[in-house]
Amino acid sequence: MSLPDPAPDATVLVTGASTGIGRELARELGRRGYGLTLVARARERLEELAEELRSEHDVTVAVHAADLVDDQERDAMVAAVRAEGRRVDGLCNNAGFGTLRRLVDIQPGRETALVRLNVLALHALTDAFLRPMVERGRGAILNLGSTAGFQPLPGFTTYAASKAFVNSFSEALHTELHGTGVSCTLLAPGPVRTEFGERAGAGDWRRLSSRIAVDPTDVARAGVEAMRAGRRSLIPGLAPQLGALGGRIVPRSVFLPLVARVTGRRQ
Ligand SMILES: NC(=O)c1ccc[n+]([C@@H]2O[C@H](COP(=O)([O-])OP(=O)(O)OC[C@H]3O[C@@H](n4cnc5c(N)ncnc54)[C@H](OP(=O)(O)O)[C@@H]3O)[C@@H](O)[C@H]2O)c1
């Protein structure tokens, strides 16, 4: 019930591998000898990473540039990966983004795209690759949730709700899979130093969270170890663990206005 050892005819598919946590997951897996399938929109960045992994670790790396918000591009990517013939022994559902702003202030459609990527693409890819794993009785999935998903976050409303889905889905699936030889692990970090804050339009909030933010290399190492061990869930670091606990136990009547004030001031 964990990620199988590397094999020449197998691969681990990482979404959002062009930068941030996804790129570090790919590097960590490559260092351990895993063949990789890299997915994101930025083909050039993926090709550069693929070249680095091939030359440093002598592993097989495939690149698939795809916009996972788009159902047809996602399905075409899945078909192309299958056609390559390598067994997908591991799946890291990492691609995702957030928007720090009130829902009414966000460009129409942006939040729909967020749900399509953070929720629907993650669900569809799990569905696509989990079944063959269960038939073989081996394989592992790592889903990027977030501490943002353990409570509602005004100002980060749709993002937190999307991660609540990922957190809940992943832990329940882990339990459903018991005895199948396949595992699903939730990796739920707090703030991590990546392009995430900039892409979220987070302004000052980014500077604030960067004081407690951790490096993506540390998150990736912990994530791969958790996936290798078939763990149910992991929140890397004590501060995010305490934050997640606080978000669950502080009464909502106190917590929600407080968060709204902080995120409102930081926009
Ligand atoms: N950073 C944090 O503080 C933090 C905390 C908790 C959880 N997380 C979660 O960790 C995951 C990775 O975030 P990160 O911090 O590494 O963010 P990041 O540096 O912004 O990287 C996001 C990755 O997702 C890919 N991506 C975005 N939109 C995509 C699309 N439509 N189709 C395919 N790929 C797409 C990006 O590649 P392209 O632009 O090339 O497509 C990029 O590789 C996300 O799910 C995020 O929610 C992050």
Side-chain angles (χ1 to χ4, degrees):
M1 201 161 136
S2 66
L3 181 64
D5 288 335
D9 54 347
T11 189
V12 180
L13 190 155
V14 181
T15 70
S18 62
T19 186
I21 299 168
R23 183 168 59 191
E24 297 312 322
L25 283 169
R27 283 179 171 149
E28 184 63 36
L29 287 158
R31 215 179 342 265
R32 292 166 186 249
Y34 285 96
L36 285 150
T37 301
L38 309 178
V39 179
R41 291 167 301 181
R43 179 183 295 278
E44 227 170 89
R45 285 176 133 187
L46 294 179
E47 295 285 6
E48 250 172 56
L49 177 62
E51 211 33 63
E52 173 194 314
L53 297 172
R54 287 181 197 119
S55 67
E56 287 187 11
H57 308 299
D58 196 24
V59 290
T60 305
V61 187
V63 162
H64 292 272
D67 183 349
L68 296 175
V69 166
D70 184 310
D71 289 358
Q72 285 179 345
E73 281 198 32
R74 188 196 62 228
D75 291 348
M77 180 276 287
V78 171
V81 170
R82 286 188 177 139
E84 283 168 351
R86 271 184 290 277
R87 216 173 49 239
V88 178
D89 270 355
L91 168 65
C92 300
N93 275 311
N94 162 79
F97 74 90
T99 37
L100 184 71
R101 211 160 279 280
R102 292 189 317 162
L103 182 59
V104 291
D105 297 330
I106 297 166
Q107 187 192 358
R110 175 84 177 148
E111 296 282 81
T112 310
L114 185 157
V115 175
R116 296 190 72 79
L117 181 64
N118 295 9
V119 176
L120 295 180
L122 176 140
H123 193 271
L125 292 180
T126 301
D127 206 22
F129 292 111
L130 176 63
R131 288 158 204 271
M133 285 181 188
V134 171
E135 278 162 23
R136 292 193 299 268
R138 48 192 270 143
I141 295 174
L142 182 74
N143 285 341
L144 259 292
S146 170
T147 51
F150 290 123
Q151 67 290 295
L153 292 178
F156 234 162
T157 297
T158 309
Y159 178 71
S162 76
K163 292 300 176 180
F165 175 92
V166 178
N167 292 358
S168 168
F169 173 74
S170 306
E171 291 201 89
L173 185 59
H174 173 92
T175 307
E176 265 186 25
L177 289 171
H178 187 73
T180 63
V182 180
S183 60
C184 177
T185 300
L186 166 67
L187 177 60
V192 186
R193 275 178 220 103
T194 65
E195 294 173 15
F196 178 87
E198 200 176 317
R199 291 181 190 223
D204 279 354
W205 172 258
R206 188 156 55 98
R207 277 197 287 282
L208 180 82
S209 66
S210 73
R211 274 183 232 142
I212 54 162
V214 297
D215 277 337
T217 44
D218 295 334
V219 172
R221 193 178 317 112
V224 169
E225 275 164 16
M227 190 185 190
R228 291 262 313 149
R231 282 183 62 171
R232 185 185 76 243
S233 66
L234 176 70
I235 302 174
L238 185 62
Q241 284 168 17
L242 293 174
L245 183 66
R248 282 184 273 200
I249 62 173
V250 174
R252 294 276 155 89
S253 56
V254 175
F255 184 80
L256 293 174
L258 198 71
V259 173
R261 202 157 347 124
V262 175
T263 54
R265 210 187 306 136
R266 299 284 162 187
Q267 278 172 29

